[in-house]
Amino acid sequence: MATQSTGEVAPTTQAREPASAELTRPHRDVLAPPVNRLPPEILSEVFSYVHDESDNITHVVKISHVCVWWREIALDTPRLWTTFTLDHPDVVTACLERSGAMSLKLSLTKPRYPLGQIARLIAPALPRVRVLCLHRPGGHDLQSFIDNITASSASILEELEIEYPQGHVPLVGITGSMQPVIPLLPSGLVSSPVLRRLSIQNVTFLPEHAVTHVLVCLHIERNYTDPTPDVRTLREFLKQCPLLEELHVVGTIQDPEPMRSAERPRDVIHLPHLRRLRLYCNRVYMTGLLRGLKWPRDGTTVVTLRSV
């Protein structure tokens, strides 16, 4: 009888085990924070709002450290890792891996590591870079950095911004005097067929082979008397920019000598979408640039001219 009784009880115990397991699941949901009851897709979307509001990857890292559940979701959301600064090799490597194949928005302000090391990391990912901002990256390595990252094609680059203020431009001794070392911006970096915004400060600009048919904003600022780009080069470049809406030329940009009458440009450059024109430069340079430049004269274009 005992054997029979045992045999009857065992199935009952086994039958209760799944029910007991089912009963514990609601209890776990009750104990969990309400936010963690949301589907992972919703949490991923919420995390993306944090990413969209700030370019600081630190906020995303903090989210991934809240708990194991949040970390899993954050690591499975490539969009969160597409905007970051190029200041630490480990951060750059991790973000490049976690962002998958998505487009990137990169910025460089005050690098704590050699620029060459950073450049080697991001060069293979340049075809994914949509926005590149270099702000005050002082030091002689900037030219090497630019050369290294342009080994690949920036095929989807939409915005390029390089701010190199006068106080951060290194000086070298040349023929007994100190001359600024002005980085050279190769045409390859502005050859993206979707480049819409280009802003450069104290960077030598040689755009002969650039493809800029969709460019809407061009900002060139110089604090030195290096005459690049000269009037002819800039005019040739503007011919490739029929959609241009903003043109800013600021600083001591000037030609080494005034153009002779026979060399004055006779061609007309049409900028039918121009809405803002700002020229703060040498009078001769300004005159040569404006000659033949056509923009809407219906009062919708804000024009600011100042001779310096």
Side-chain angles (χ1 to χ4, degrees), residues 62-232:
K62 289 181 179 179
I63 288 176
S64 69
H65 289 176
V66 169
C67 63
V68 174
W69 176 233
W70 283 27
R71 182 171 181 81
E72 290 179 358
I73 296 175
L75 295 182
D76 288 339
T77 309
R79 177 183 173 186
L80 299 179
W81 309 96
T82 57
T83 301
F84 55 93
T85 56
L86 305 173
D87 58 356
H88 195 293
D90 292 343
V91 173
V92 173
T93 300
C95 289
L96 289 177
E97 293 177 353
R98 295 172 183 177
S99 60
M102 300 195 70
S103 61
L104 304 172
K105 180 180 179 180
L106 310 181
S107 62
L108 176 66
T109 304
K110 296 180 180 179
R112 294 177 292 172
Y113 291 83
L115 291 180
Q117 182 180 2
I118 300 295
R120 286 190 292 272
L121 290 175
I122 69 168
L126 190 64
R128 290 201 286 136
V129 176
R130 181 177 57 84
V131 178
L132 178 61
C133 301
L134 309 179
H135 296 165
R136 295 174 173 82
H140 294 272
D141 290 339
L142 181 59
Q143 184 65 66
S144 176
F145 175 83
I146 293 176
D147 292 341
N148 285 331
I149 65 173
T150 53
S152 302
S153 173
S155 56
I156 68 168
L157 187 65
E158 296 180 5
E159 299 182 26
L160 175 61
E161 184 175 333
I162 304 179
E163 293 183 1
Y164 207 40
Q166 184 173 6
H168 293 259
V169 176
L171 302 177
V172 297
I174 300 177
T175 63
S177 62
M178 300 302 291
Q179 299 292 332
V181 179
I182 306 297
L184 170 66
L185 180 65
S187 299
L189 199 56
V190 292
S191 61
S192 168
V194 293
L195 185 66
R196 294 178 54 82
R197 307 185 69 87
L198 175 60
S199 177
I200 55 177
Q201 181 178 3
N202 291 326
V203 176
T204 300
F205 184 37
L206 300 176
E208 304 93 292
H209 305 293
V211 180
T212 52
H213 301 299
V214 298
L215 195 71
V216 297
C217 179
L218 175 62
H219 183 124
I220 302 177
E221 183 171 349
R222 296 296 293 272
N223 300 118
Y224 299 97
T225 56
D226 186 339
T228 302
D230 58 28
V231 172
R232 299 170 187 80

